[in-house]
Amino acid sequence: QVQLVESGGGLVQAGGSLRLSCAASGSIFHINAMGWYRQAPGKQRELVSTITSGGSTNYADSVKGRFTISRDKNTVYLQMNSLKPEDTAVYYCYAETRVTIFSTYGDYWGRGTQVTVSS
């Protein structure tokens, strides 16, 4: 199995910064895309940012210019600057993973880390 463990969430004032990390471990042949989604109370889970194994990145319009995604092998990071109260959510890491050379890619998820931005 594949395990994803997030860290780095917390409480921060508006305008502050946080850095999230997510490390993938376990039975991994190859990880294609990794990234972050978030879910605020009463809202659907939404894409925040993704990064492929080749380094191509994608951002939600709401975080462009403030968040930066990066990756080191099977660990993905999300540097979040100029945080706003509307960024408050549980942030989930995911990895598009192939567990063996014979398998197809599947999405694996972490348990989430809470980010709270106070005004």
Side-chain angles (χ1 to χ4, degrees), residues 47-66:
L47 172 71
V48 177
S49 183
T50 61
I51 184 168
T52 69
S53 57
S56 297
T57 59
N58 180 48
Y59 296 93
D61 288 343
S62 59
V63 306
K64 282 181 181 177
R66 299 188 298 121

Side-chain angles (χ1 to χ4, degrees), residues 77-115:
Y77 306 93
L78 187 68
Q79 178 66 43
M80 305 185 294
N81 298 329
S82 302
L83 282 161
K84 304 175 181 179
E86 51 263 44
D87 294 318
T88 296
V90 177
Y91 284 69
Y92 297 91
C93 168
Y94 90 98
E96 187 183 20
T97 306
R98 196 175 177 186
V99 296
T100 73
I101 193 171
F102 303 107
S103 64
T104 57
Y105 286 96
D107 286 345
Y108 293 83
W109 294 86
R111 293 188 173 186
T113 185
Q114 177 70 45
V115 171

Side-chain angles (χ1 to χ4, degrees), residues 2-75:
V2 177
Q3 296 83 39
L4 299 178
V5 179
E6 302 111 329
S7 61
L11 172 64
V12 64
Q13 288 188 331
S17 299
L18 284 173
R19 188 185 193 219
L20 305 183
S21 300
C22 172
S25 62
S27 178
I28 298 171
F29 175 74
H30 182 257
I31 296 178
N32 186 20
M34 298 186 79
W36 297 90
Y37 280 69
R38 67 186 180 187
Q39 188 167 18
K43 295 187 177 182
Q44 290 189 329
R45 190 174 295 191
E46 63 175 1
L47 172 71
V48 177
S49 183
T50 61
I51 184 168
T52 69
S53 57
S56 297
T57 59
N58 180 48
Y59 296 93
D61 288 343
S62 59
V63 306
K64 282 181 181 177
R66 299 188 298 121
F67 291 10
T68 303
I69 193 169
S70 60
R71 179 173 169 179
D72 180 11
K73 295 182 181 178
N74 294 340
T75 299

